[in-house]
Every structure is written in C-alpha cells, then in structure tokens.
Amino acid sequence: MSAEPPSKGHGRTGGHDVVRPFVMTGGRTRADRRDLRIETMLTAVPGATTSGLSAEQVKLLRLCQAPISIAEASAELGLVIGVTTILAADLVSEGRLEVHQTDPVEIELDVLSRMIDAVRAL
Amino acid sequence: MTIKHDDRPAGDAWKPRIRPVKFVVAGGFGAGKTTFVGALSEIPPLRTEAAMTTVGARVDHRRGSEAKTTTTVAMDFGRLTVDEYLVMYLFGTPGQERFGFMWDDICTHALGAVVLVDTDRLDQSFPAVDYFEAKDVPFVVAVNRFEGTTRHDLGAVRDALGVSSHVPMTECDARHTESAKQVLLLLLDELVNAARARAAATVV
C-alpha cells in the first residue's frame, strides 16, 4: 500500500474517496471470477498461511475462519464490495480461500419448506 | 503464521457447503427497506458499499480509470440463518432510480424480491416493478402502512403501479416483525407455487 491513488474520486462521489480502495486491487475494478457474488459464502482453507498477503487480505482470511458472505466481509472490513470480491478472488486462486458451492440451480421444494419454517418461527 | 481451524478435518474430507439464498428488498427512498430488513434479520442490518461505474461518462486515459466514473452507493442487508447448511440474505437495493443498472450485481440469482411501496410516492416504485418484471424475478408488492396513514385500496394501488394481477400484493407495517414475516411468507408461498408448477410441467 505504498502507491498513491491516481487522484481523488472524480464525478459524484458523495464525499467518499472511491478511487483509493481500488489501489488495494492494483487498479482492478472487476474480479475475473463470475462465481463470486455478494451472497457467496467463503471459508479459509484449513492451514492457509498469511505469508505475502496484504493487511486487508490477512484481515479477510481471518474473517473467513468461519463461513462468511462477501457482503458481510465487506461490511466488517469497511471495504467496497468490489474490492472485497477481488481480494477474495486472489485468495481463492492462491488456494487460501474456498468458495461454497454456488451453483445457480433451481430451488427445491424442501429448501423452500425449511425457509418457510424458519420465517414462521421468527 | 497459520490460520487456526477448529473441528474440521483437513484436506478433501471437508467441503464447504453453506447455501446462501438471496432476497432483494426494493422500493423508493424512504419506503422502509432497511426497516423491513431489520424486522426480519437476526443481526442489526449491516451496511456496505458497492462501487458503481459509469462507463463512458467521461474519458480519462490514466491507467485503471479509463473512461469510467466511479461512485459508491450504500446498501443495507440482513441475515436469517435457517440451519447450518442454509442462510437467507435480505438485500436492500439502493433506492435511487439512476442506480437501477447496478441492481444486476445485487439481483443476479436472487430467489425473489419484495417491492415496498410508499403510497405518497408511488412513482418511486416503478423502477423496481419494471426491473423485476423484465428480469422474471418473482416478487410481491407490499404497501408499507406508515403511522397515521389510512388503509389503502390495494386494487387502486395495483392499477396505479400497473402490476399484473398474478403478482401478490399486501399491506404491511415494516417496523413489526410479525407483519414483515407475512410479506416474506407471501413471497415464499409464491415460490412454492412456481416450483410446483415447474414440477408438474416436467412430469407432463
């Protein structure tokens, strides 16, 4: 994190500096994995080391000791969703993070029943 | 340094398998999205930000920012754990109409949606209704009954919104868990009906 951002955010930034976060991703604004969505669950691979990781990636890996969604990890880290997704994609490709199965299959009736029971019990 | 793990066999013996199921709560600014999420979530709603990139809005040849303008929009969401293998997420969409196109990031693979309506600002519900109809995302419409307001004629609201007759519509008070529950159950019932219809079609 020694590089300076190219500039403060331009355009409508609502007071947020939105360019700076993407410095953590080397300027990338899109992950090259399509299976990482905001609700995708991640878990650290048992025995994964933190060597060579940035401070943010270490924090992300620690959060993922228990299964956590990208959205929750983003909220915890105070990072924009897109940044978390890219950091996570790198950790997945390095074999440090595992993606929970995310096949967009049609939902089965028994899964719906379990959800209905859970909502009724609220 | 090694990340510690408890109660988990190493190697291939353990495969992650928690299934996240996503629901979207949409509606205009002030329609009660976060309140609704909070009424159902087991955690206080979390806030995160999504970057929104407008391509071509302005040309900038510096590396990493070519022809893009980036800003962020806040998004509140909640969680409802069903069991150790299934967790429901409720995502509130950013309400502003101009962010409509970033809904794709939020709504991809969403199982269903709730459109919250503030009858004083009906027009703010149009983008959500149009979006879910266009994308074939199953949805229900819930008129949020704000304190001191009278009950609404749901038929009139349906006509005003131009919502098809097959879309379930109800009233709710987003502040109350019991009321928010009924809305989510209405959506889940709709999904059950759709799943049964699919199953029947497959058998034939």
Side-chain angles (χ1 to χ4, degrees):
Chain A
M1 281 282 290
S2 58
E4 284 294 309
S7 71
K8 298 289 271 186
H10 34 246
R12 286 185 301 257
T13 64
H16 296 281
D17 184 340
V18 294
V19 171
R20 193 180 299 270
F22 286 99
V23 171
M24 292 173 202
T25 67
R28 291 169 296 160
T29 56
R30 281 266 166 202
D32 50 6
R33 295 182 64 101
R34 307 301 295 174
D35 60 341
L36 298 180
R37 298 188 293 274
I38 54 177
E39 75 276 19
T40 301
M41 305 293 294
L42 303 168
T43 308
V45 170
T49 67
T50 57
S51 58
L53 297 182
S54 68
E56 288 75 20
Q57 285 179 309
V58 171
K59 283 185 208 160
L60 176 58
L61 199 54
R62 289 213 171 112
L63 276 175
C64 295
Q65 284 183 75
I68 190 170
S69 64
I70 287 182
E72 285 167 290
S74 296
E76 289 281 342
L77 295 170
L79 293 176
V80 175
I81 296 260
V83 172
T84 308
T85 306
I86 292 165
L87 296 179
D90 289 346
L91 291 174
V92 172
S93 65
E94 291 165 7
R96 305 190 213 225
L97 264 191
E98 273 184 297
V99 180
H100 291 229
Q101 61 179 20
T102 54
D103 299 339
V105 291
E106 273 179 356
I107 209 85
E108 306 89 351
L109 276 169
D110 78 290
V111 175
L112 286 168
S113 300
R114 280 152 67 200
M115 289 193 278
I116 288 169
D117 289 345
V119 173
R120 284 205 179 117
L122 277 176
Chain B
M1 192 194 331
T2 300
I3 299 285
K4 275 183 290 188
H5 274 272
D6 340 292
D7 308 329
R8 196 188 295 168
D12 291 338
W14 184 85
K15 286 289 177 205
R17 51 185 169 165
I18 296 178
R19 181 174 190 170
V21 178
K22 178 167 62 177
F23 294 90
V24 176
V25 181
F29 182 78
K33 298 185 292 288
T34 303
T35 306
F36 182 89
V37 169
L40 295 171
S41 177
E42 66 199 14
I43 50 166
L46 293 170
R47 171 161 292 191
T48 187
E49 291 193 322
M52 185 190 72
T53 306
T54 312
V55 178
R58 154 186 179 145
V59 178
D60 184 332
H61 295 294
R62 280 172 294 201
R63 273 166 58 106
S65 58
E66 67 280 3
K68 289 174 189 168
T69 300
T70 306
T71 188
T72 59
V73 288
M75 183 166 65
D76 293 329
F77 65 98
R79 185 184 68 208
L80 213 169
T81 302
V82 175
D83 53 44
E84 61 181 315
Y85 302 118
L86 186 62
V87 55
M88 298 164 73
Y89 284 102
L90 297 166
F91 284 93
T93 57
Q96 296 86 337
E97 188 174 357
R98 66 190 169 97
F99 298 136
F101 59 88
M102 74 152 283
W103 285 8
D104 287 348
D105 281 346
I106 300 173
C107 298
T108 306
H109 298 305
L111 198 59
V114 172
V115 177
L116 281 176
V117 172
D118 172 358
T119 48
D120 286 343
R121 291 178 276 193
L122 267 184
D123 56 315
Q124 292 205 1
S125 312
F126 292 143
V129 168
D130 291 346
Y131 181 89
F132 297 128
E133 280 185 342
K135 299 277 178 177
D136 280 329
V137 176
F139 69 100
V140 298
V141 174
V143 176
N144 195 3
R145 197 168 61 226
F146 290 91
E147 203 158 5
T149 61
T150 50
R151 299 186 79 86
H152 304 285
D153 176 353
L154 291 180
V157 174
R158 183 186 293 279
D159 288 346
L161 284 176
V163 173
S164 323
S165 55
H166 65 81
V167 174
M169 187 175 268
T170 187
E171 267 194 321
C172 75
D173 184 335
R175 296 166 301 173
H176 297 300
T177 300
E178 197 53 45
S179 184
K181 264 171 65 172
Q182 297 310 318
V183 176
L184 192 52
L185 287 170
L186 189 64
L187 176 59
L188 288 165
D189 279 347
E190 188 64 9
L191 295 170
V192 167
N193 293 338
R196 289 208 174 113
R198 275 197 307 271
T202 311
V203 170
V204 173

